Amino acid sequence: MPHIRARNVDPALLEARARVLVDRLQEAVGCDRAWFTLELEASRAIDSGSGEPVRPYVEVHWFPRPPEAKKAVARILSEELRGGADYLTTVFFDLAEADYFENGEPV
């Protein structure tokens, strides 16, 4: 934990930046790099007629952290994964430790 899920991000961009991305996130969050999971979700964006390109969208699932950490992580994700898009959206999901299990056991 943290688990980072990205959509509408160029796979080559994520693969090229994964090491630096986790290095920067590790420093901002203060946890071991082995705790990070990067996931690129396959998605198919549907243009509703606006003609606007689909923008990258990233979810961060983690245990609650201070607002400063969220701001730093959102900035890092945008800098590393936005590519040529106008902006990248980041949404945080704070998980209660009591709801997190590994191998059927609470962590």
Side-chain angles (χ1 to χ4, degrees), residues 6 10 34-35 41 43 45 47-48 56 63 82 85 92 98:
D10 178 6
W35 294 0
E41 290 187 343
S43 63
D47 180 4
S48 62
F63 298 129
R82 186 177 66 207
F92 292 91

Short mmCIF file of all heavy atoms in Angstrom, two decimals, residues 6 10 34-35 41 43 45 47-48 56 63 82 85 92 98:
data_model
loop_
_atom_site.label_atom_id
_atom_site.label_comp_id
_atom_site.label_asym_id
_atom_site.label_seq_id
_atom_site.Cartn_x
_atom_site.Cartn_y
_atom_site.Cartn_z
N ALA A 6 -4.05 3.48 -12.80
CA ALA A 6 -4.09 4.52 -13.83
C ALA A 6 -4.95 4.07 -15.00
O ALA A 6 -4.96 2.89 -15.37
CB ALA A 6 -2.68 4.83 -14.30
N ASP A 10 -0.54 6.38 -21.33
CA ASP A 10 0.21 5.62 -22.32
C ASP A 10 1.04 4.55 -21.61
O ASP A 10 1.86 4.88 -20.74
CB ASP A 10 1.10 6.58 -23.10
CG ASP A 10 1.98 5.90 -24.13
OD1 ASP A 10 1.83 4.68 -24.36
OD2 ASP A 10 2.81 6.60 -24.72
N ALA A 34 8.73 -1.22 -1.89
CA ALA A 34 8.06 -2.50 -2.11
C ALA A 34 6.56 -2.42 -1.78
O ALA A 34 5.80 -3.29 -2.20
CB ALA A 34 8.72 -3.60 -1.27
N TRP A 35 6.15 -1.42 -1.04
CA TRP A 35 4.74 -1.28 -0.68
C TRP A 35 3.91 -0.71 -1.84
O TRP A 35 2.68 -0.77 -1.79
CB TRP A 35 4.58 -0.40 0.54
CG TRP A 35 5.15 -0.98 1.79
CD1 TRP A 35 5.78 -2.18 1.96
CD2 TRP A 35 5.14 -0.36 3.08
NE1 TRP A 35 6.17 -2.35 3.25
CE2 TRP A 35 5.78 -1.24 3.98
CE3 TRP A 35 4.66 0.84 3.56
CZ2 TRP A 35 5.95 -0.97 5.32
CZ3 TRP A 35 4.83 1.13 4.91
CH2 TRP A 35 5.46 0.24 5.77
N GLU A 41 -4.95 0.11 -15.80
CA GLU A 41 -6.22 -0.54 -16.13
C GLU A 41 -6.54 -0.33 -17.60
O GLU A 41 -6.44 0.79 -18.12
CB GLU A 41 -7.35 0.04 -15.28
CG GLU A 41 -7.27 -0.31 -13.83
CD GLU A 41 -8.50 0.12 -13.05
OE1 GLU A 41 -9.28 0.96 -13.54
OE2 GLU A 41 -8.67 -0.39 -11.95
N SER A 43 -8.94 0.36 -20.38
CA SER A 43 -10.24 1.04 -20.45
C SER A 43 -10.47 1.52 -21.87
O SER A 43 -9.53 1.67 -22.66
CB SER A 43 -10.30 2.21 -19.47
OG SER A 43 -9.34 3.18 -19.80
N ALA A 45 -12.30 4.64 -23.60
CA ALA A 45 -12.99 5.91 -23.43
C ALA A 45 -13.93 6.13 -24.60
O ALA A 45 -13.59 5.85 -25.75
CB ALA A 45 -11.98 7.04 -23.34
N ASP A 47 -16.04 8.92 -26.62
CA ASP A 47 -16.19 10.36 -26.87
C ASP A 47 -17.69 10.66 -26.95
O ASP A 47 -18.41 10.09 -27.76
CB ASP A 47 -15.50 10.75 -28.17
CG ASP A 47 -15.62 12.23 -28.50
OD1 ASP A 47 -16.19 12.99 -27.69
OD2 ASP A 47 -15.16 12.61 -29.58
N SER A 48 -18.15 11.56 -26.08
CA SER A 48 -19.58 11.89 -26.05
C SER A 48 -19.93 12.96 -27.08
O SER A 48 -20.99 13.57 -27.00
CB SER A 48 -19.96 12.38 -24.65
OG SER A 48 -19.22 13.56 -24.34
N PRO A 56 -5.85 11.54 -18.69
CA PRO A 56 -5.43 10.51 -17.74
C PRO A 56 -6.16 10.66 -16.40
O PRO A 56 -6.43 11.77 -15.95
CB PRO A 56 -3.94 10.77 -17.57
CG PRO A 56 -3.53 11.56 -18.76
CD PRO A 56 -4.73 12.35 -19.15
N PHE A 63 -3.74 4.03 3.02
CA PHE A 63 -4.19 4.40 4.36
C PHE A 63 -4.13 5.91 4.47
O PHE A 63 -3.33 6.56 3.80
CB PHE A 63 -3.31 3.72 5.42
CG PHE A 63 -3.37 2.22 5.36
CD1 PHE A 63 -2.21 1.46 5.33
CD2 PHE A 63 -4.59 1.55 5.33
CE1 PHE A 63 -2.26 0.08 5.27
CE2 PHE A 63 -4.64 0.17 5.27
CZ PHE A 63 -3.48 -0.56 5.23
N ARG A 82 1.20 12.69 -16.96
CA ARG A 82 0.25 13.48 -17.76
C ARG A 82 0.52 13.36 -19.25
O ARG A 82 -0.40 13.42 -20.07
CB ARG A 82 0.29 14.93 -17.31
CG ARG A 82 -0.78 15.77 -18.00
CD ARG A 82 -0.80 17.17 -17.50
NE ARG A 82 0.46 17.80 -17.89
CZ ARG A 82 1.03 18.80 -17.25
NH1 ARG A 82 0.47 19.29 -16.18
NH2 ARG A 82 2.16 19.31 -17.66
N ALA A 85 -1.40 15.43 -22.29
CA ALA A 85 -2.77 15.84 -21.94
C ALA A 85 -2.77 17.20 -21.25
O ALA A 85 -1.76 17.62 -20.68
CB ALA A 85 -3.40 14.79 -21.01
N PHE A 92 -8.15 10.22 -4.48
CA PHE A 92 -7.63 9.44 -3.36
C PHE A 92 -8.76 8.69 -2.67
O PHE A 92 -9.83 9.24 -2.45
CB PHE A 92 -6.94 10.36 -2.35
CG PHE A 92 -5.67 10.97 -2.89
CD1 PHE A 92 -5.70 12.19 -3.53
CD2 PHE A 92 -4.46 10.31 -2.76
CE1 PHE A 92 -4.55 12.76 -4.05
CE2 PHE A 92 -3.30 10.86 -3.27
CZ PHE A 92 -3.34 12.09 -3.91
N ALA A 98 -8.63 -1.45 9.43
CA ALA A 98 -9.44 -2.59 9.84
C ALA A 98 -10.08 -3.30 8.65
O ALA A 98 -10.52 -4.45 8.77
CB ALA A 98 -10.53 -2.12 10.81
#
